[in-house]
């Protein structure tokens, strides 16, 4: 899955966001995506939010709320800032920072 994830990220950076979003929607049950669902969900949520689909993005972010993955936690914090929930977002970021420091 790592190479697939890298390819999708490269496509995003090259401006092919809609194609990546379509791929993620159409292939959600693909074994390669299921192997690391949180990474692909995080990418999908970021893309959907970037494209302005707040409702779909919110639903995806809510699925990521309990994730232990740093990328998912950071995305949730960013979305909290976007919702004007600054206190919540700052708390989330402090928790992430604390977890990262413990891991060192």
């Amino acid at each position: 899955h790592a190479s697939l994830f890298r390819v999708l990220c490269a496509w995003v950076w090259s401006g092919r966001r809609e194609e990546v979003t379509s791929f993620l929607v159409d292939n959600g049950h693909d074994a390669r995506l299921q192997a690391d669902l949180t990474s692909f969900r995080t990418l999908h949520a970021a893309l959907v939010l970037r494209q302005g689909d707040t409702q779909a993005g919110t639903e995806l972010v809510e699925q990521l709320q309990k994730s232990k993955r740093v990328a998912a936690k950071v995305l949730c914090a960013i979305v909290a800032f976007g919702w004007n929930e600054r206190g919540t977002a700052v708390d989330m970021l402090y928790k992430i920072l604390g977890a990262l420091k413990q891991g060192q």
Side-chain angles (χ1 to χ4, degrees):
H1 86 279
S3 59
L4 173 62
F5 189 75
R6 279 192 217 111
V7 167
L8 293 177
C9 288
W11 282 9
V12 169
W13 285 115
S14 68
R16 298 170 68 180
R17 293 181 188 93
E18 289 80 12
E19 290 168 89
V20 173
T21 303
S22 294
F23 176 85
L24 291 169
V25 169
D26 296 344
N27 296 285
H29 297 293
D30 186 302
R32 294 171 298 175
L33 272 63
Q34 292 295 317
D36 188 4
L37 197 55
T38 302
S39 293
F40 290 103
R41 274 194 180 149
T42 303
L43 177 62
H44 189 193
L47 285 168
V48 168
L49 289 164
R50 174 78 166 78
Q51 291 165 359
D53 189 343
T54 310
Q55 182 177 355
T58 300
E59 290 171 12
L60 288 164
V61 166
E62 286 172 353
Q63 293 172 9
L64 294 169
Q65 293 275 348
K66 294 182 179 157
S67 171
K68 296 187 185 329
R69 297 291 294 274
V70 172
K73 288 178 180 269
V74 170
L75 179 64
C76 291
I78 291 167
V79 170
F81 269 117
W83 289 337
N84 233 0
E85 295 178 12
R86 294 192 182 344
T88 302
V90 169
D91 287 347
M92 289 175 158
L93 291 171
Y94 272 118
K95 285 178 186 172
I96 295 165
L97 185 59
L100 289 172
K101 284 182 178 178
Q102 283 182 342
Q104 290 179 349

